[in-house]
Amino acid sequence: MSSFNSAVSPNATIVRPPFFFVSGFSNIPHVKYYYIFMCFVYAVTVLGNSFIMLIIYMDRNLHTPKYVIVFHLAVVDLCSSTALIPKFIDTFLFDNQLIAFEACLANFFFVQCFTFMQSLTLILLAYDRFIAICFPLKYHVIITNVAMVVILAVLWTLSSGLVIAAVVFMTRLSFCKSIVINSYYCDYGPMFRLACNDNSPNYIISIMGITIMFVGALVLIVATYVCIIFALLKIASAEERLRAMKTCTSHLIVVALFYLPISSIYIAAIVTIVPPNVRIISTSLSYTIPPMLNPIIYTLKTEEIVQAIQKLFKRVKVIKPEVNQYQ
């Protein structure tokens, strides 16, 4: 308690601990193998998303609004994993479970901001497909590179603004009960529940975040695809319908990978009591596996990216003999 008193503000109303203790897993044998697996996940995430960004950057045919969004998704996937996994490995694999109060808030900010941006970027991809299929003649008027950059700037403002508000409310709490965060990172819910003063504003803003960024986002995406299905039914040719639907395949898989695990976790938490170890494993996987798989899905399921990769390898094959000739 003396460590708490040293951090009490002058008016003696706010008690801030100098550090938190991130508890992580409890009583799981051979848990270090899971941390090593996370190292592998992070390595694949970095390589995959960097490769997608390189392909889009190098091929001028991919400098289109759709691939501006795909490039942005690769950036936020890479950033979200970087905000979460290295710290996760340092915390548990190297037993650095104490984290300074300010560093904990920063950890929460970056993890949550990038996660929210993943969700908002998936909405933007759905919007792109909606305009392309439902209003094909107006697509190049409505969907432009400049329009996408402006929309992304607005989404970044929304995401960061909401998370900053959450951080501000966190700084108004007093932590005089415990400093143990029952999670694998500085998770907002487990943090604000440690407070010994009124944390209802934090509860409200956490509900707002979940509602806007996950539930609302998923509802918008589903509504978009309902409109797309109705538009496809109006197309007379089955071949044309299939071709239009193929342009949505990769996005639908990515949406399912992102929202289904998170939705299942929230529903399970409402319906029953989820054991802490199960919650930590399920949430850590749902936050880290989609960013690893997204570039693989876009590489395998998107015709334009496959063609761009083939062109890149052909260019490399042409350059190699020319280099050898001058050696």
Side-chain angles (χ1 to χ4, degrees):
M1 193 70 187
S2 60
S3 62
F4 289 158
N5 292 335
S6 64
V8 178
S9 62
N11 60 10
T13 56
I14 302 297
V15 180
R16 289 181 189 165
F19 52 78
F20 285 110
F21 181 86
V22 183
S23 64
F25 298 106
S26 59
N27 301 319
I28 294 185
H30 311 297
V31 72
K32 287 195 174 181
Y33 291 115
Y34 184 69
Y35 306 143
I36 293 167
F37 168 70
M38 279 294 163
C39 293
F40 167 77
V41 169
Y42 183 61
V44 175
T45 301
V46 171
L47 291 172
N49 285 289
S50 300
F51 180 69
I52 282 286
M53 287 188 279
L54 178 68
I55 292 297
I56 294 172
Y57 174 77
M58 291 189 69
D59 194 322
R60 288 190 174 276
N61 294 326
L62 298 180
H63 294 183
T64 61
K66 177 184 174 181
Y67 288 102
V68 167
I69 312 170
V70 173
F71 186 94
H72 181 266
L73 181 62
V75 171
V76 293
D77 279 347
L78 182 57
C79 290
S80 67
S81 292
T82 301
L84 185 61
I85 298 177
K87 184 61 185 170
F88 175 83
I89 292 164
D90 177 61
T91 300
F92 300 112
L93 192 59
F94 299 105
D95 296 323
N96 293 321
Q97 289 172 263
L98 289 178
I99 180 169
F101 181 83
E102 293 80 8
C104 200
L105 292 183
N107 178 239
F108 159 73
F109 174 83
F110 288 112
V111 170
Q112 211 57 61
C113 190
F114 290 130
T115 303
F116 282 169
M117 280 310 303
Q118 286 174 301
S119 183
L120 294 173
T121 305
L122 292 177
I123 296 176
L124 196 51
L125 279 166
Y127 173 68
D128 173 83
R129 292 300 84 206
F130 168 72
I131 299 297
I133 293 171
C134 298
F135 304 99
L137 298 178
K138 295 181 180 178
Y139 179 80
H140 293 292
V141 176
I142 299 171
I143 306 293
T144 64
N145 287 346
V146 173
M148 289 302 101
V149 170
V150 170
I151 293 170
L152 284 170
V154 171
L155 295 181
W156 271 106
T157 304
L158 173 64
S159 175
S160 56
L162 186 59
V163 182
I164 288 169
V167 169
V168 169
F169 280 116
M170 187 68 77
T171 60
R172 297 182 179 183
L173 295 179
S174 279
F175 298 91
C176 50
K177 293 179 181 177
S178 172
I179 59 166
V180 179
I181 299 173
N182 294 313
S183 188
Y184 62 101
Y185 79 107
C186 293
D187 199 354
Y188 197 68
M191 277 178 71
F192 79 70
R193 290 189 185 95
L194 297 175
C196 51
N197 59 345
D198 181 24
N199 61 12
S200 55
N202 302 79
Y203 177 77
I204 290 167
I205 203 163
S206 68
I207 294 297
M208 280 177 58
I210 293 166
T211 304
I212 295 169
M213 298 300 179
F214 295 116
V215 179
L218 185 57
V219 168
L220 274 174
I221 291 170
V222 169
T224 297
Y225 274 101
V226 168
C227 295
I228 287 171
I229 288 167
F230 278 116
L232 290 174
L233 292 174
K234 292 177 183 177
I235 299 173
S237 167
E239 189 180 337
E240 288 293 321
R241 282 201 299 269
L242 184 62
R243 191 181 303 156
M245 200 61 210
K246 273 185 177 180
T247 65
C248 304
T249 307
S250 53
H251 179 248
L252 284 169
I253 296 170
V254 169
V255 165
L257 273 173
F258 183 80
Y259 288 105
L260 289 181
I262 292 176
S263 303
S264 303
I265 292 161
Y266 283 126
I267 292 167
I270 293 167
V271 173
T272 185
I273 297 171
V274 180
N277 287 338
V278 173
R279 179 176 58 82
I280 290 171
I281 289 174
S282 57
T283 52
S284 61
L285 289 175
S286 68
Y287 274 45
T288 56
I289 296 299
M292 180 185 73
L293 294 180
N294 288 351
I296 298 170
I297 291 162
Y298 273 103
T299 301
L300 296 176
K301 302 294 292 183
T302 309
E303 190 177 336
E304 295 97 329
I305 290 181
V306 172
Q307 289 173 354
I309 293 168
Q310 288 171 346
K311 278 198 290 184
L312 179 64
F313 280 117
K314 281 179 184 176
R315 201 182 306 165
V316 170
K317 283 180 182 178
V318 170
I319 292 170
K320 256 190 175 180
E322 290 179 359
V323 171
N324 293 334
Q325 187 178 350
Y326 288 105
Q327 285 178 346

